[in-house]
């Protein structure tokens, strides 16, 4: 699951240092000061300074249940706003705009003092992304925060750096995706990182792993620290698999928050994700939790930072479905799961798509299904995964094994993602056509933009791949054909060989 990139790209921010306010209106670095006392873990006192290009203040406009009318601002008490000379500034909440309206000229420098109450866990967060996206105080007094619940900002054109300082008990740790300047001081390089990441604070367990220039911090509450080795082992296998696809691991700081719960779920942010685990037989059900782990990690490339679309909802089948395809495929390529487990997973994705198409109240396309993601969950994930498999087979068949879906993803990353250029369906078709010297427009028109049943396409792809397929009433079963040891299927799941070798 992911947070919208197209919305993030429309927001920018600048803030001003507390210590020395420059006289000019343009600033390049910002500062936040967040204070938490052990006497009240549910209260954060915030001081901040910023330049308002327009006379408004706001918080990230999504990520909370629709029933909470003011969104993240509901949990905020804005105590005072002053100018850079200390004079008070009048402000009022505008319910229509969901912003604070300020009585100041444009391009004013202001100082804020506000409090944030952590009472988010009193609300049902299902329509806000699930409890994996909700600020929480865990039983061992570890704090889990989403930065969008803490940060008030002013909309602005240029994404500039921000400095965030924590005032917390000296024995506590702070785990975050922001660049660490000291134990209590961090830096975010742009608005995306500032308002769309996770923070864990307290006496939790922390583990740092590095691959090339990518640093990943794994943070777990005390009651789940015994699983940190297992999580680390899986990530250290998956990252080289992703490097093989995209050609590199970007220079980045990343945070993985892992917690124990009674449900399994995950949510990805700009440079972080949170995954909840059912702490039972994790050694034996990696197809469940390791797939979620690999899925959320793959979102770093697909759907969050690099490969994204301006038509966010219309691209869910790709951002979620192709991520689902590659998370499971990477697990079998790195031998985290068995080939038998992988085929069961793939067959289940076919089942989700077929069932959704056969028994939907209203026929819709994969592209249109994203407008109601919750209602079309199985259709989007199962359909997108199935489309990825079919395309992988077709690309390999057309090019006689010289190209694959890996090459297609690499092209999207290299030509568009690294330049932060959005992709579209038209771009996908154009790049697929160029990669294979063929025409994929009819395929897209039928199965992605149209609502043609994909059953025949699944059968054809499995036959080309060297898989025997059986299906009955949306139940699918896959078995490799014994005389197809060098089949397309076997080439798809072949163990990875490091590109560094």
């Amino acid at each position: 699951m992911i947070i919208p990139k197209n919305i993030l790209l429309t927001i920018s921010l600048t803030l001003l240092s507390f210590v020395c306010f420059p006289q000019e209106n343009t600033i390049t670095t910002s500062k936040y000061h967040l204070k938490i006392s052990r006497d009240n873990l549910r209260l954060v006192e915030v001081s901040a300074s910023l330049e308002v290009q327009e006379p408004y203040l706001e918080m990230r406009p999504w990520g909370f249940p629709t029933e909470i009318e003011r969104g993240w601002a509901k949990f905020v008490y804005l105590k005072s706003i002053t100018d850079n000379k200390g004079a008070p500034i009048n402000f009022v909440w505008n319910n229509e705009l969901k912003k604070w309206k300020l009585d100041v000229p444009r391009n004013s420098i202001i100082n804020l003092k506000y409090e944030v109450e952590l009472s988010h866990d009193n609300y049902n967060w299902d329509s806000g992304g699930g409890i994996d996206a909700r600020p929480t105080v865990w039983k061992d007094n570890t704090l889990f925060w989403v930065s969008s619940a803490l940060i008030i900002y002013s909309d602005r054109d240029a994404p500039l750096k921000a400095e965030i300082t924590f005032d917390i008990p000296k024995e506590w740790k702070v785990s975050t995706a922001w660049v660490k300047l000291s134990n209590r001081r961090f830096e975010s390089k742009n608005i995306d990182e500032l308002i769309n990441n996770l923070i864990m604070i307290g006496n939790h367990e922390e583990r740092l792993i590095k691959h090339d220039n990518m640093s990943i911090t794994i943070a777990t509450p005390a009651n789940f620290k015994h699983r940190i080795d297992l999580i680390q082992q899986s990530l250290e296998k998956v990252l080289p698999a992703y490097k093989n696809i995209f050609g590199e691991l970007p220079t980045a700081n990343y945070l993985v928050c892992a917690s124990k719960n009674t449900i399994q779920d995950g949510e990805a942010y700009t440079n972080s994700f949170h995954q909840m685990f059912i702490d039972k037989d994790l050694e034996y059900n990696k197809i469940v939790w390791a797939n979620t782990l690999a899925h959320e990690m793959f979102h770093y490339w697909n759907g969050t930072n690099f490969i994204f679309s301006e038509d966010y909802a219309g691209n869910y089948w790709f951002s979620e479905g192709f991520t689902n395809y590659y998370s499971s495929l990477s697990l079998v390529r790195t031998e985290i799961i068995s080939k038998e487990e992988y085929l069961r997973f793939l067959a289940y994705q076919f089942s989700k798509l077929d069932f959704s198409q056969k028994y939907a109240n209203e026929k819709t396309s994969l592209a249109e299904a994203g407008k109601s993601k919750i209602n079309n969950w199985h259709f989007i994930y199962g359909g997108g995964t199935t489309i990825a498999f079919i395309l992988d087979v077709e690309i390999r068949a057309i090019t006689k094994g010289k190209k694959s879906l890996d090459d297609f993803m690499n092209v999207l990353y290299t030509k568009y993602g690294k330049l932060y250029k959005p992709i579209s369906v038209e771009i996908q078709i154009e790049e697929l056509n160029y990669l294979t010297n063929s025409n994929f427009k009819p395929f897209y028109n039928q199965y992605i933009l149209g609502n043609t049943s994909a059953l025949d396409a699944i059968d054809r792809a499995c036959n080309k791949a060297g898989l025997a397929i059986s299906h009955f009433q949306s139940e699918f079963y896959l078995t490799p054909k014994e005389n197809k040891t060098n089949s397309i299927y076997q080439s798809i799941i072949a163990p990875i060989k490091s590109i560094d070798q």
Side-chain angles (χ1 to χ4, degrees):
M1 200 181 301
I2 48 178
I3 301 296
K5 174 72 176 181
N6 64 323
I7 300 178
L8 287 173
L9 289 178
T10 66
I11 306 173
S12 1
L13 155 89
T14 97
L15 298 167
L16 188 65
S17 167
F18 302 126
V19 179
C20 181
F21 299 105
Q23 295 302 310
E24 63 271 16
N25 287 332
T26 300
I27 55 179
T28 58
T29 303
S30 65
K31 291 188 179 179
Y32 274 105
H33 185 272
L34 291 79
K35 181 178 180 180
I36 305 172
S37 167
R38 63 165 57 88
D39 295 331
N40 189 352
L41 301 179
R42 292 183 173 270
L43 185 69
V44 182
E45 299 178 36
V46 185
S47 300
S49 301
L50 59 133
E51 178 187 334
V52 288
Q53 195 171 56
E54 298 292 339
Y56 294 99
L57 292 173
E58 59 188 293
M59 301 185 78
R60 195 183 72 176
W62 75 94
F64 44 79
T66 53
E67 68 189 60
I68 302 178
E69 293 184 0
R70 292 181 62 174
W72 299 112
K74 174 181 175 57
F75 307 93
V76 170
Y77 169 49
L78 187 48
K79 299 171 67 175
S80 69
I81 305 178
T82 58
D83 64 19
N84 61 350
K85 295 181 180 179
I89 295 171
N90 294 325
F91 60 91
V92 64
W93 174 260
N94 186 308
N95 203 48
E96 183 177 353
L97 296 176
K98 306 300 180 186
K99 299 178 182 181
W100 289 275
K101 175 72 170 64
L102 312 183
D103 186 15
V104 293
R106 295 181 60 188
N107 302 319
S108 295
I109 295 173
I110 64 172
N111 309 311
L112 307 177
K113 289 189 180 297
Y114 61 94
E115 296 176 345
V116 184
E117 180 187 19
L118 200 167
S119 56
H120 309 75
D121 45 8
N122 291 330
Y123 294 84
N124 183 339
W125 225 257
D126 287 348
S127 63
I131 60 175
D132 50 344
R134 183 184 68 187
T136 307
V137 178
W138 284 317
K139 289 182 179 179
D140 61 353
N141 293 331
T142 298
L143 303 173
F144 173 72
W145 277 101
V146 182
S147 63
S148 53
L150 293 170
I151 303 299
I152 294 177
Y153 63 90
S154 176
D155 197 3
R156 187 175 165 83
D157 296 331
L160 303 178
K161 293 180 181 179
E163 190 175 297
I164 307 98
T165 302
F166 290 85
D167 182 355
I168 58 176
K170 63 180 181 179
E171 68 274 16
W172 287 6
K173 291 190 292 286
V174 178
S175 298
T176 173
W178 299 325
V179 176
K180 189 173 185 177
L181 303 178
S182 70
N183 286 338
R184 296 290 185 267
R185 193 163 56 95
F186 301 84
E187 182 181 79
S188 65
K189 64 184 179 182
N190 56 47
I191 182 62
D192 294 17
E193 289 187 1
L194 182 63
I195 70 167
N196 192 49
N197 266 312
L198 301 176
I199 308 165
M200 193 181 291
I201 304 171
N203 292 311
H204 55 281
E205 188 76 6
E206 192 177 64
R207 181 77 56 82
L208 177 66
I209 62 175
K210 288 190 175 183
H211 277 270
D212 298 343
N213 293 321
M214 192 170 191
S215 298
I216 300 179
T217 298
I218 306 170
T220 68
N223 68 353
F224 199 63
K225 67 180 183 180
H226 59 285
R227 295 299 192 181
I228 200 167
D229 288 341
L230 197 58
I231 296 168
Q232 178 180 351
Q233 291 163 11
S234 298
L235 283 173
E236 288 184 331
K237 288 184 177 181
V238 165
L239 286 173
Y242 293 168
K243 181 178 178 178
N244 270 38
I245 296 167
F246 297 108
E248 65 182 13
L249 295 178
T251 300
N253 290 305
Y254 202 92
L255 173 68
V256 175
C257 294
S259 65
K260 178 180 177 179
N261 212 295
T262 57
I263 62 174
Q264 162 87 18
D265 205 353
E267 184 83 52
Y269 296 80
T270 300
N271 291 83
S272 53
F273 72 78
H274 178 210
Q275 181 172 346
M276 301 183 306
F277 295 75
I278 299 175
D279 189 14
K280 180 182 179 182
D281 298 330
L282 293 188
E283 298 84 352
Y284 307 104
N285 59 17
K286 292 180 181 179
I287 187 60
V288 177
W289 66 263
N291 186 68
T292 301
L293 187 74
H295 180 105
E296 301 302 341
M297 193 72 245
F298 196 82
H299 270 318
Y300 180 76
W301 288 268
N302 186 29
T304 303
N305 286 287
F306 300 110
I307 304 174
F308 63 93
S309 172
E310 290 180 336
D311 180 13
Y312 190 77
N315 194 55
Y316 267 135
W317 64 272
F318 184 89
S319 62
E320 294 293 4
F322 276 50
T323 296
N324 211 35
Y325 178 70
Y326 270 108
S327 59
S328 59
L329 182 55
S330 297
L331 295 186
V332 71
R333 284 175 171 177
T334 56
E335 300 179 336
I336 293 176
I337 62 172
S338 67
K339 296 176 182 179
E340 291 76 18
E341 287 176 305
Y342 173 72
L343 286 180
R344 287 199 297 271
F345 176 88
L346 188 60
Y348 180 52
Q349 306 310 308
F350 296 168
S351 297
K352 290 195 291 187
L353 172 60
D354 187 61
F355 186 87
S356 299
Q357 290 189 314
K358 281 182 178 177
Y359 301 106
N361 293 328
E362 295 183 12
K363 299 292 183 182
T364 187
S365 68
L366 272 173
E368 287 292 315
K371 293 180 179 179
S372 182
K373 184 181 180 184
I374 293 177
N375 293 329
N376 293 304
W377 195 270
H378 289 294
F379 185 31
I380 291 167
Y381 281 72
T385 306
T386 301
I387 292 296
F389 170 76
I390 294 172
L391 286 178
D392 204 355
V393 172
E394 289 297 323
I395 294 169
R396 292 171 187 267
I398 292 170
T399 64
K400 301 186 185 306
K402 295 180 180 179
K403 300 293 181 181
S404 70
L405 194 68
D406 295 1
D407 296 287
F408 175 58
M409 297 300 291
N410 185 282
V411 166
L412 294 183
Y413 170 70
T414 303
K415 291 182 63 174
Y416 303 93
K418 290 176 71 173
L419 300 176
Y420 302 104
K421 294 167 61 177
I423 63 167
S424 63
V425 166
E426 291 73 24
I427 285 174
Q428 290 185 39
I429 295 172
E430 177 184 340
E431 296 298 346
L432 277 171
N433 290 350
Y434 183 79
L435 185 69
T436 60
N437 193 27
S438 58
N439 182 15
F440 277 89
K441 187 172 183 179
F443 179 89
Y444 271 68
N445 286 340
Q446 277 186 285
Y447 303 114
I448 298 165
L449 302 177
N451 56 23
T452 303
S453 169
L455 188 57
D456 289 343
I458 294 171
D459 283 343
R460 289 193 298 269
C462 287
N463 185 57
K464 287 181 182 180
L467 290 171
I469 180 171
S470 302
H471 47 86
F472 174 72
Q473 293 183 350
S474 295
E475 293 181 6
F476 285 75
Y477 304 92
L478 297 171
T479 308
K481 295 181 180 178
E482 292 183 2
N483 62 342
K484 295 285 186 178
T485 55
N486 296 318
S487 66
I488 287 176
Y489 162 69
Q490 295 295 344
S491 67
I492 288 175
I493 67 168
I496 66 165
K497 295 181 180 179
S498 173
I499 61 177
D500 294 328
Q501 293 178 351

